[in-house]
RNA sequence: CGGGGCGUAGCUCAGCCUGGUUAGAGCGCCGCGUUUGGGACGCGGAGGUCGCCGGUUCGAAUCCGGCCGCCCCGACCA
């Protein structure tokens, strides 16, 4: 039986809430799919929940297909489990106590709980295992935003693989990656699978699935030739080559009074800013000062620098800088520095202008290796116009949504939880784990970001709330009913929304466009003159007039 | 957590600066009528602790203080 719009809780809005910025946020609210309860807290209304469930269905099929076993872990979790993993100290973990003052957490993902259960695995004969659930996650996000894009509570499909060794993990990881590709393909998404930053999950390798979208929070570097895509937090790119001035046999001092910026320096010397270097003194968590060095036109990338330092850091203060290097910001350089120099790869080759560690003096012709010793690492921010490391093509940057993230955890959790098994030689070994997450709600938002026009959402067939939307114009109730029934035969039970509301045609059309079901069928006096109805495709706008009986076999 | 902005009807907003009838508009909602293929029109109507608490004042949506909530940017972040 078709769903009747007259009885459906489907509060569509003519105006979007004033504070909604992201396209998906605006359309989800306007289309009556979701409503906000608090910052980062959303209720899925009937239509929104249908879409969510369709995405859940796709994920379930694909994870089942790689041998996943669905189960369900509780949300409320004894804090003790999180003490064991050490994650209870993360600030985004919600913590609470019961009446007896026992401590609990609301998990942001379920590694601890799944690993707790994995302790019951005993033999290599049982491996590998892939377990998953659609679990509610809570995160004390510093800043929820963009409707469903970043929220404080959401449902996530998280799966966990348990293998006997690294080779097994590689296999489980690869199978998940393949399943993820099928899932996002089926959802009609354009996405890139890229190396990623493991973040707070811990573990070695991790891969992100990023969907380019106007409202994304990640930044994707893409090659014009389509052979490279990476998150700029880890992307390695080839910077454009500087125009170097003639090489010198040794560094040469130049007076640069009052010049402390790269722009001023390049202008003063009449050289390419790319042929200069700039030094950023930072202090590691243990108090050591390190001189970060990047090319003059580049910017230091925090995440990369932190990874290269192997420690958190803060910018050094003026006083610390003077004490360590003998000059102020703007005149710093690697030559003669007594602290560790961490230089960007771009500075390996060539001669650059650098600060002389004396106020108002620079050195030209400074060459790594010859004039100073440095440790090299990729610590620069990727920029628009950089060259592709694979083919040399031009890179562009665009915002993207993180759809899913998969990690090789190794024994990060199995060891503290004593989740071990016996191998065939009777030796006890820790399980080698992987974890894999997808947020259906965020995926839903990403689909809208990629599939909409100025009238509303254009759902891909696989995730549309209804396959067909029947617009019943006044005076043709019976025929509209017949059309809806015929459509259910071809499109499936429950796949039809029948707009039987007492509303004007324009209003119904506008709502149909907003809600975005793939097929709209209009039944009205005009079409029925010869016993037919109008069938219109949301994507293309193509319309054809067909007899109601033809609807029974509609694609 | 830092910066900025906002909080008045279901939604979008005016009124606040310069305190003073009964707090307004458009959309939406209810009733009646005319309409009826791209958000109609007329008439009638319902709907408000002006975010909360306190202060100033004869009098506060309006001025002052505190708190709460929400949005955006940054920090942070699957």
């Amino acid at each position: 039986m078709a769903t009747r719009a007259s009885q459906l809780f489907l509060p569509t809005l003519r105006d979007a809430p004033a504070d909604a910025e992201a396209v998906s946020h605006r359309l989800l609210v306007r289309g009556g799919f979701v409503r906000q309860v608090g910052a980062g807290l959303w209720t899925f209304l009937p239509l929104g929940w249908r879409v969510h469930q369709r995405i859940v269905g796709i994920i379930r099929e694909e994870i089942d297909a790689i041998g996943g076993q669905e189960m369900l872990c509780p949300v409320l979790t004894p804090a003790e489990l999180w003490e064991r993993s050490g994650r209870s100290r993360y600030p985004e973990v919600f913590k609470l106590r019961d009446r007896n003052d026992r401590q609990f957490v609301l998990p942001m993902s379920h590694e601890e709980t799944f690993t707790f259960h994995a302790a019951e695995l005993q033999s290599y004969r049982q491996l590998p295992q892939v377990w998953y659930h659609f679990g509610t996650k809570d995160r004390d996000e510093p800043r929820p935003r963009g409707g469903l894009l970043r929220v404080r509570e959401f449902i996530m499909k998280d799966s966990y693989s348990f293998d006997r060794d690294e080779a097994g993990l590689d296999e489980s990881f690869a199978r998940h990656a393949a399943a993820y590709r099928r899932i996002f393909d089926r959802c009609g998404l354009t996405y890139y699978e890229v190396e990623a930053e493991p973040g707070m999950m811990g573990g070695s390798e991790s891969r992100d699935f990023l969907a380019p979208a106007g409202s994304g929070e990640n930044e994707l570097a893409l090659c014009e030739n389509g052979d490279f895509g990476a998150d700029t937090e880890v992307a390695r790119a080839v910077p454009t080559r500087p125009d170097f001035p003639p090489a010198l046999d040794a560094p040469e001092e130049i007076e640069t009074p009052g010049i402390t910026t790269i722009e001023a320096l390049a202008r003063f010397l009449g050289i390419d800013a790319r042929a200069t270097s700039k030094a950023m003194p930072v202090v590691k968590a243990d108090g050591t000062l390190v001189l970060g060095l990047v090319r003059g036109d580049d910017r230091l990338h925090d995440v990369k620098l932190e990874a290269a330092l192997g420690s958190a850091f803060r910018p050094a203060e003026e006083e610390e800088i003077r004490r360590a290097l003998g000059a102020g910001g703007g005149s710093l350089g690697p030559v003669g520095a007594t602290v560790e120099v961490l230089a960007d790869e771009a500075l390996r080759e060539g001669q650059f202008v650098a600060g002389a560690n004396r106020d108002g003096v620079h050195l030209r012709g400074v060459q790594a290796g010859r004039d100073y010793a440095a440790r090299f690492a990729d610590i620069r921010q990727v920029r628009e116009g950089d060259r592709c490391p694979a083919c040399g093509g031009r890179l562009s940057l665009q915002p993207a949504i993180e759809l899913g993230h998969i990690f090789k955890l190794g024994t990060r959790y199995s060891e503290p939880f004593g989740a071990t098994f016996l191998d065939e030689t009777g030796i006890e070994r820790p399980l080698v784990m992987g974890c894999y997450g997808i947020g259906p709600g965020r995926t839903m938002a990403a689909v809208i970001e990629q599939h909409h026009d100025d009238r509303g959402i254009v759902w891909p067939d696989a995730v549309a709330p209804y396959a067909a939307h029947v617009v019943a114009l006044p005076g043709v109730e019976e025929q509209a009913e017949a059309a809806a029934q015929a459509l259910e035969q071809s499109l499936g039970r429950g796949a039809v929304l029948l707009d039987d509301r007492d509303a004007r045609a324009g209003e119904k059309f506008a709502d149909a466009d907003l809600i975005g079901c793939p097929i709209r069928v209009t039944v009205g006096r005009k079409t029925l003159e010869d016993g037919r109805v109008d069938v219109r495709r949301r994507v293309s706008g193509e319309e054809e007039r067909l007899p109601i009986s033809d609807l029974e076999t509609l694609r």
Side-chain angles (χ1 to χ4, degrees):
Chain A
M1 200 54 238
T3 302
R4 294 175 176 280
S6 61
Q7 296 308 118
L8 223 205
F9 180 44
L10 176 58
T12 56
L13 260 27
R14 192 180 292 218
D15 303 308
D19 49 32
E21 297 262 303
V23 177
S24 59
H25 182 185
R26 300 172 65 86
L27 292 175
L28 281 165
V29 173
R30 278 229 292 142
F33 292 87
V34 297
R35 281 296 183 264
Q36 185 165 23
V37 177
L41 300 174
W42 293 83
T43 293
F44 285 79
L45 304 185
L47 222 60
W49 189 240
R50 283 181 74 95
V51 176
H52 191 279
Q53 291 299 71
R54 293 206 69 188
I55 294 172
V56 163
I58 289 170
I59 296 171
R60 179 176 284 130
E61 283 176 24
E62 296 299 342
I63 300 299
D64 283 349
I66 59 166
Q69 305 172 59
E70 186 170 356
M71 46 204 269
L72 179 64
C73 298
V75 178
L76 194 63
T77 304
E80 196 267 327
L81 288 185
W82 283 60
E83 302 293 337
R84 253 191 263 179
S85 68
R87 288 164 97 204
S88 57
R89 60 188 155 79
Y90 291 172
E92 34 283 294
V93 179
F94 271 107
K95 301 172 183 77
L96 66 162
R97 291 164 188 273
D98 71 6
R99 65 179 78 196
N100 293 317
D101 216 34
R102 280 185 288 250
Q103 292 180 264
F104 293 84
V105 304
L106 301 177
M108 33 191 256
S109 62
H110 279 78
E111 281 75 3
E112 285 79 0
T113 312
F114 274 92
T115 311
F116 166 77
H117 293 303
E120 283 196 63
L121 292 170
Q122 302 187 50
S123 161
Y124 71 95
R125 293 177 211 270
Q126 297 169 290
L127 302 179
Q129 291 280 318
V130 175
W131 299 346
Y132 76 103
H133 76 342
F134 289 91
T136 297
K137 314 299 173 193
D138 288 275
R139 295 185 182 180
D140 191 353
E141 289 288 347
R143 183 148 106 81
R145 74 181 102 188
L148 257 30
L149 290 175
R150 173 159 230 96
V151 294
R152 291 200 291 180
E153 180 175 286
F154 62 105
I155 289 172
M156 177 162 89
K157 183 289 296 175
D158 40 334
S159 33
Y160 301 86
S161 61
F162 306 96
D163 280 280
R164 49 175 304 166
D165 53 22
E166 287 292 332
L169 171 57
D170 290 348
E171 174 69 15
S172 293
F173 187 83
R175 287 159 74 90
H176 267 91
Y180 273 39
R181 282 176 223 127
R182 286 190 291 272
I183 289 165
F184 299 129
D185 283 341
R186 286 178 65 182
C187 289
L189 286 161
T190 298
Y191 61 91
Y192 294 84
E193 184 178 339
V194 305
E195 296 309 308
E197 221 274 316
M200 67 174 83
M201 309 299 301
S204 52
E205 188 180 349
S206 93
R207 212 175 285 170
D208 245 337
F209 290 80
L210 295 180
S215 308
E217 293 184 292
N218 293 60
E219 196 175 39
L220 186 59
L222 288 178
C223 174
E224 60 183 344
N225 299 322
D227 58 354
F228 176 78
D231 190 309
T232 53
E233 292 198 348
V234 293
R236 221 194 320 265
V238 182
T240 49
R241 272 192 72 75
D243 298 323
F244 285 114
L248 301 177
D249 294 334
E252 184 181 299
E253 287 191 6
I254 5 159
E255 296 289 327
T256 50
I259 292 176
T260 56
T261 66
I262 292 297
E263 297 73 47
L265 182 66
R267 207 177 321 116
F268 179 76
L269 298 174
I271 58 166
D272 186 349
R274 293 174 297 184
T276 67
S277 64
K278 66 182 167 197
M280 316 284 279
V282 298
V283 177
K284 292 202 288 186
D286 65 6
T288 359
L289 193 138
V290 175
L291 195 64
L293 200 67
V294 295
R295 219 168 70 177
D297 60 321
D298 276 334
R299 298 193 60 177
L300 206 55
H301 191 289
D302 297 0
V303 177
K304 286 182 179 178
L305 178 59
E306 187 169 324
L309 289 172
S311 155
F313 69 91
R314 61 173 172 82
E317 282 158 25
E318 184 66 32
E319 215 251 323
E320 293 171 313
I321 297 172
R322 279 212 175 269
R323 191 159 4 104
L325 296 161
S331 302
L332 303 176
V335 180
T338 52
V339 299
E340 186 195 351
V341 175
L342 180 61
D344 184 70
E345 297 286 354
L347 298 171
R348 243 185 225 279
E349 309 284 321
Q351 294 190 350
F352 297 84
V353 174
N357 292 325
R358 271 161 50 204
D359 289 338
V361 182
H362 279 78
L363 294 173
R364 61 166 111 217
V366 172
Q367 191 176 315
R370 185 187 71 182
D371 304 323
Y372 66 94
R375 183 157 73 88
F376 288 95
D378 178 16
I379 54 172
R380 66 184 284 276
Q381 282 184 22
V382 173
R383 298 191 311 167
E384 186 89 27
D386 283 350
R387 297 287 139 181
C388 169
C391 75
R394 189 173 190 282
L395 294 184
S396 63
L397 302 183
Q398 58 179 307
I401 295 168
E402 184 181 19
L403 297 169
H405 203 159
I406 60 180
F407 302 83
K408 289 185 182 175
L409 293 173
T411 56
R412 155 89 173 77
Y413 292 90
S414 51
E415 280 177 4
F417 281 86
T420 60
F421 67 97
L422 292 186
D423 70 11
E424 53 272 72
T425 63
I427 293 176
E428 185 175 60
R429 300 183 183 282
L431 291 162
V432 181
M433 294 175 53
C435 73
Y436 317 89
I438 297 182
R442 183 183 275 186
T443 301
M444 178 172 163
V447 170
I448 296 173
E449 293 284 339
Q450 292 189 352
H451 298 275
H452 67 272
D453 59 22
D454 53 0
R455 292 169 182 271
I457 302 169
V458 184
W459 290 113
D461 294 350
V463 297
Y466 293 93
H469 188 146
V470 177
V471 172
L473 296 175
V476 297
E477 288 72 17
E478 274 176 36
Q479 294 92 329
E481 187 79 38
Q485 272 182 29
L487 285 166
E488 290 228 321
Q489 287 199 21
S490 54
L491 303 172
R493 281 177 61 85
V496 178
L497 175 63
L498 171 60
D499 191 349
D500 59 340
R501 295 173 304 167
D502 179 20
R504 303 183 67 78
E507 198 170 340
K508 293 188 176 192
F509 291 143
D511 272 352
D513 290 342
L514 212 208
I515 292 165
C517 298
I519 297 171
R520 186 186 81 191
V521 175
T522 306
V523 187
R525 290 208 187 86
K526 209 184 279 182
T527 60
L528 289 169
E529 277 165 13
D530 47 5
R532 300 196 286 180
V533 297
D534 287 336
V535 176
R536 185 188 179 100
R537 308 281 166 171
R538 182 68 178 87
V539 210
S540 59
E542 287 168 53
E543 193 160 42
E544 53 183 340
R545 190 157 286 188
L546 299 175
I548 290 181
S549 55
D550 280 17
L551 298 179
E552 293 177 12
T553 55
L554 199 71
R555 170 210 69 113

